[in-house]
Amino acid sequence: MSCLFGRAALRGLLCPPRALVPNLLVRPSSGGPSWNQERTLVAVKPDGVHRRLVGDVIQRFERRGFKLVGMKMLQVPKSVLAEHYHDLQKKPFYPALISYMSSGPVVAMVWEGPNVVCTSRAMIGHTDSAEAAPGTIRGDFSVHISRNVIHASDSVDGAQREIQLWFQSNELVDWADEGHRSSLYPA
Ligand code: IDP
Ligand code: MG
């Protein structure tokens, strides 16, 4: 990828206006906040696991105020990766991408919170490590696009598709944190 923002990367960095975010992942709550409680898939890739970066990633998402509702370590089957990256099938780097993503364990997580899809893309940074801003996960920990440490879904629809692909519904935990929410955002 050149030094200019690629279209996919740019799309991943720009947040849609809040009013346009579809409400697909909102969980019903008992008179709770009207914020979009989205969910997104975040995965620490094999390079991130090898480099002991899992804890740092979790800490960043927790400190931001997001809620962990699913987590597992797995060696991702190539069939899952093929579906996950089906948009990239014709790219020259696709075979290397699948080989790399299946080369070691990945830590997959589902995070929940207001606008978590868009915010997590900002937190992980630009796809190309050379373009990723310092302070972002990729900008702090990676130097090459093919070893960029972390995945995060790039749209609400994509997040829903990816969560269903990577997790069984009984692997996701709805746990109450109402007492904590009021210190994160207003009701
Ligand atoms: P994203 O991970 O920021 O959403 P995508 O365009 O969806 O970026 O690409 C998926 C993954 O494919 C990237 O995170 C990166 O690991 C790899 N990738 C993308 N573009 C290139 C490239 O030009 N060379 C090598 N690997 C790439
Ligand atoms: Mg992507």
Side-chain angles (χ1 to χ4, degrees), residues 172-187:
L172 302 177
V173 181
D174 284 329
W175 54 281
D177 68 342
E178 274 72 18
H180 190 59
R181 276 194 211 167
S182 62
S183 57
L184 291 170
Y185 43 86

Side-chain angles (χ1 to χ4, degrees), residues 7-79:
R7 207 165 4 135
L10 191 60
R11 186 188 60 217
L13 287 173
L14 296 177
C15 299
R18 190 178 294 174
L20 298 180
V21 176
N23 223 10
L24 295 174
L25 294 183
V26 173
R27 288 190 309 115
S29 64
S30 47
S34 57
W35 303 88
N36 284 341
Q37 290 294 347
E38 296 172 1
R39 288 181 172 182
T40 198
L41 179 80
V42 170
V44 182
K45 296 179 176 182
D47 54 319
V49 175
H50 283 155
R51 294 174 55 202
R52 278 61 166 171
L53 296 175
V54 175
D56 192 286
V57 168
I58 291 172
Q59 189 176 51
R60 286 174 185 233
F61 278 81
E62 285 196 328
R63 284 188 171 169
R64 185 72 189 236
F66 293 126
K67 180 173 148 187
L68 186 61
V69 295
M71 181 165 74
K72 61 183 174 183
M73 175 179 264
L74 72 164
Q75 190 98 22
V76 190
K78 287 193 174 168
S79 57

Side-chain angles (χ1 to χ4, degrees), residues 121 151-152 154:
R121 289 296 297 193
H151 166 83
D154 69 2

Side-chain angles (χ1 to χ4, degrees), residues 88-109:
L88 302 176
Q89 257 171 11
K90 298 206 162 58
K91 299 285 186 186
F93 58 83
Y94 177 80
L97 173 64
I98 300 299
S99 161
Y100 148 64
M101 284 295 292
S102 58
S103 67
V106 163
V107 173
M109 296 170 256

Side-chain angles (χ1 to χ4, degrees), residues 1 8 45 85 88 93 97 121 127 138 145-146 148 151:
M1 185 180 287
K45 296 179 176 182
Y85 286 125
L88 302 176
F93 58 83
L97 173 64
R121 289 296 297 193
T127 303
R138 288 166 169 171
I145 192 169
S146 68
N148 60 5
H151 166 83

